[in-house]
Amino acid sequence: MTAYQTQYGTVYDGGVCKDDYPNINLYHQTDQRIVKLQGPALRAFKAAEARVATRRKKHLLITGIGWRSCALQRELWMSDSNRYANPDGSKHCRGLAIDVDQGQGTLRLRTIHKALLAEDWHQSVPGEPWHYSYHVVG
């Protein structure tokens, strides 16, 4: 496992997939959506969310759950290795990836994209405009 320093603190990446990366935090975005990220990634997510907040739409909408257990990621990868990453390389398992709901309209998605980029999130998977990874590429 490698530690990377970010503007919001240290994140951890690499190594064999495990479900207990340091500093994983939960954020109850809405009653039904929970974001599970490493602390610095969560702080960057909230900072991006604050950039796009309006009175009506206070949250970036995330599809499903950003974090996936190693077992679920392995199951997905085994079912379709072209679509899903190997769990030993997936940023979802490490609390360093989110998927942005693409059904929000072009203008709002552009605003969300700019806000995420400003907070050190990257689109790193070709053909997946919804997928963003924090700080480390992947």
Side-chain angles (χ1 to χ4, degrees):
M1 181 179 347
T2 304
Y4 297 93
Q5 192 59 39
T6 75
Q7 66 179 340
Y8 293 107
T10 305
V11 295
Y12 302 90
D13 189 29
V16 176
C17 190
K18 59 184 192 166
D19 290 328
D20 62 346
Y21 275 82
N23 69 17
I24 293 286
N25 292 272
L26 296 178
Y27 170 47
H28 295 266
Q29 192 179 38
T30 65
D31 289 342
Q32 297 181 356
R33 294 185 192 265
I34 298 173
V35 179
K36 188 173 182 178
L37 296 167
Q38 289 188 39
L42 182 58
R43 287 188 285 283
F45 174 83
K46 286 182 176 181
E49 192 173 58
R51 289 174 183 261
V52 298
T54 65
R55 286 190 306 167
R56 287 183 339 131
K57 296 182 179 180
K58 296 188 183 342
H59 302 287
L60 296 172
L61 298 180
I62 306 302
T63 58
I65 300 170
W67 180 86
R68 296 182 189 135
S69 70
C70 296
L72 175 58
Q73 187 68 32
R74 185 165 309 286
E75 184 179 315
L76 293 169
W77 177 61
M78 297 290 281
S79 72
D80 187 351
S81 62
N82 291 318
R83 180 172 178 196
Y84 297 100
N86 180 318
D88 291 337
S90 173
K91 303 303 179 213
H92 283 288
C93 298
R94 289 157 170 76
L96 294 173
I98 58 171
D99 292 337
V100 174
D101 183 343
Q102 296 296 288
Q104 301 184 69
T106 305
L107 181 58
R108 184 158 173 83
L109 286 172
R110 237 183 267 140
T111 303
I112 290 169
H113 175 75
K114 288 178 184 176
L116 287 168
L117 291 181
E119 296 298 337
D120 206 13
W121 289 88
H122 307 277
Q123 283 186 300
S124 55
V125 180
E128 292 187 5
W130 57 86
H131 180 85
Y132 288 83
S133 297
Y134 181 64
H135 191 70
V136 292
V137 177

